[in-house]
Amino acid sequence: LTGCLASALVQGIQSQNVGVALKHFFCNNQEKWRFDLNVVVDERTQKELYERAFKHVVRESQPLTIMCAYNKVNGIFCCENKPVLTRIRKEWNFKGLFITDWGATNDRVLGIQAGIDLEMPGSVGACDDHVLNALKNGELREEELDKCVTRVLCLKLLGKEFNNLNRREVINGSLKV
């Protein structure tokens, strides 16, 4: 039911030429200590309880972005969880951007490697040198950064064309930007 309601909401909002940030992904089960919380959960519970509604929304509505939560899941910050974010792109056919919550960046290089496309404001450029140094020393591959940049630029171009956008093309992945 949650997935159906949220999917209808996303479709309704995006039909009015406004992009949606689906949040807070994932295992965001409390607000107290949300910056430091480590949710320890097995894979089955994670998929069946915490991800089910998100999966439905992504497959049915293709929100333009998914905002990751502040917390850790099994010791890995959501914004740095490459296995989960990669699975969402592949299994759920997510075409949009993964973005951090405001101030949720812990290690921007790990975030880029995980597939976080956009860091929301809050670090005031504190991560810039870290990313540049990681590129120089080979810790971060240019191709990894290029993927994120490409997705951000596609969203930017999509924004200019949002009024003429066929939402079905976005949902089924056939839109060419």
Side-chain angles (χ1 to χ4, degrees):
L1 180 61
T2 301
C4 291
L5 292 171
S7 183
L9 180 64
V10 169
Q11 289 175 21
I13 292 170
Q14 291 191 162
S15 75
Q16 298 303 303
N17 304 323
V18 176
V20 170
L22 185 64
K23 58 184 194 174
H24 288 100
F25 185 75
F26 62 105
C27 297
N28 182 43
N29 60 10
Q30 69 180 48
E31 285 299 299
K32 191 171 184 178
W33 298 306
R34 69 181 179 161
F35 297 104
D36 303 311
L37 183 66
N38 180 26
V39 178
V40 179
V41 62
D42 65 274
E43 184 178 5
R44 181 176 179 188
T45 303
Q46 179 180 317
K47 287 182 176 183
E48 292 180 7
L49 180 66
Y50 290 104
E51 293 182 10
R52 182 179 239 156
F54 282 98
K55 181 179 181 178
H56 183 84
V57 175
V58 169
R59 286 190 166 169
E60 294 297 316
S61 304
Q62 276 298 330
L64 290 183
T65 66
I66 294 176
M67 180 179 278
C68 292
Y70 292 103
N71 57 282
K72 295 178 186 175
V73 177
N74 298 325
I76 304 171
F77 282 105
C78 295
C79 293
E80 299 167 4
N81 199 316
K82 185 174 184 170
V84 171
L85 300 183
T86 300
R87 180 171 52 80
I88 301 316
R89 285 208 188 276
K90 290 181 179 176
E91 290 180 15
W92 300 4
N93 197 32
F94 178 57
K95 302 292 185 192
L97 268 62
F98 279 114
I99 60 177
T100 69
D101 206 334
W102 294 66
T105 300
N106 295 284
D107 185 320
R108 185 65 183 117
V109 171
L110 288 177
I112 291 168
Q113 291 169 335
I116 291 289
D117 302 301
L118 183 62
E119 174 189 9
M120 294 305 289
S123 71
V124 194
C127 300
D128 297 353
D129 287 339
H130 181 56
V131 171
L132 291 173
N133 288 334
L135 282 167
K136 288 177 188 173
N137 70 26
E139 180 187 352
L140 178 64
R141 294 189 338 264
E142 196 170 323
E143 297 80 27
E144 293 170 311
L145 183 58
D146 286 348
K147 284 181 183 180
C148 295
V149 170
T150 299
R151 287 189 289 258
V152 170
L153 291 175
C154 284
L155 181 65
K156 175 75 172 154
L157 293 172
L158 184 62
K160 291 181 181 232
E161 297 299 322
F162 208 85
N163 291 332
N164 304 319
L165 182 62
N166 179 335
R167 293 300 307 151
R168 279 288 131 208
E169 290 179 359
V170 173
I171 291 168
N172 68 28
S174 64
L175 179 69
K176 303 293 184 231
V177 180

